[in-house]
Amino acid sequence: MLTTEDRFAIEDVINLHGHLTDRGDFAGLPALFTEDVTYDVSALGGGVLAGLADAREAALALGEANPLAHHVTNIVLEAAADGTVRALSKYLGVMTDGSVASGTYEDTVELGAGGWRITHRVVRPRRVPLQP
């Protein structure tokens, strides 16, 4: 069972992503992700990134193709039997040309010595409406 404090802490971790990423604060990412995070951007053509160093390199390689702004909303948390938390959230990515992309983050979050951190993230873009 997640406490109210756990829920706030996990939501803060997920919400902090856009602030750090948008300003290129790679040194701050350990506040969000474990060092060995698995970051799956296969659906965006980026493959599965292993660890913070890979995530940083991929972001730098994208350069100007990175979103101008990342926004997260609709965070839903579910405690798993193994003590982890499954977090599902929606994202909006605002591109430099003004276009907007939408999708979901599927996160696994674990409590460690430094607090709640994302250990696994899958990014799934939405490209087709109403997929029954």
Side-chain angles (χ1 to χ4, degrees):
M1 184 80 156
L2 289 172
T3 66
T4 300
E5 290 79 14
D6 288 332
R7 287 182 174 280
F8 283 136
I10 294 166
E11 289 178 6
D12 280 351
V13 165
I14 293 168
N15 285 321
L16 188 57
H17 173 256
H19 294 283
L20 295 177
T21 301
D22 292 345
R23 68 176 179 243
D25 184 357
F26 299 112
L29 292 181
L32 308 175
F33 301 107
T34 57
E35 193 66 39
D36 62 347
V37 63
T38 302
Y39 203 104
D40 185 345
V41 287
S42 300
L44 297 172
V48 178
L49 308 172
L52 288 178
D54 278 0
R56 179 185 183 279
E57 288 176 30
L60 291 174
L62 275 177
E64 294 296 316
N66 277 295
L68 181 64
H70 295 76
H71 300 281
V72 178
T73 187
N74 300 71
I75 300 171
V76 178
L77 304 177
E78 179 183 351
D82 65 0
T84 63
V85 173
R86 306 287 185 253
L88 178 65
S89 57
K90 302 286 289 181
Y91 72 80
L92 295 171
V94 181
M95 307 308 285
T96 56
D97 66 0
S99 63
V100 177
S102 179
T104 58
Y105 292 137
E106 298 172 10
D107 295 329
T108 301
V109 187
E110 291 184 10
L111 182 59
W116 289 99
R117 298 293 183 271
I118 299 168
T119 62
H120 187 262
R121 170 170 277 182
V122 179
V123 181
R124 297 195 192 281
R126 280 281 292 185
R127 295 190 176 112
V128 179
L130 297 175
Q131 299 168 334

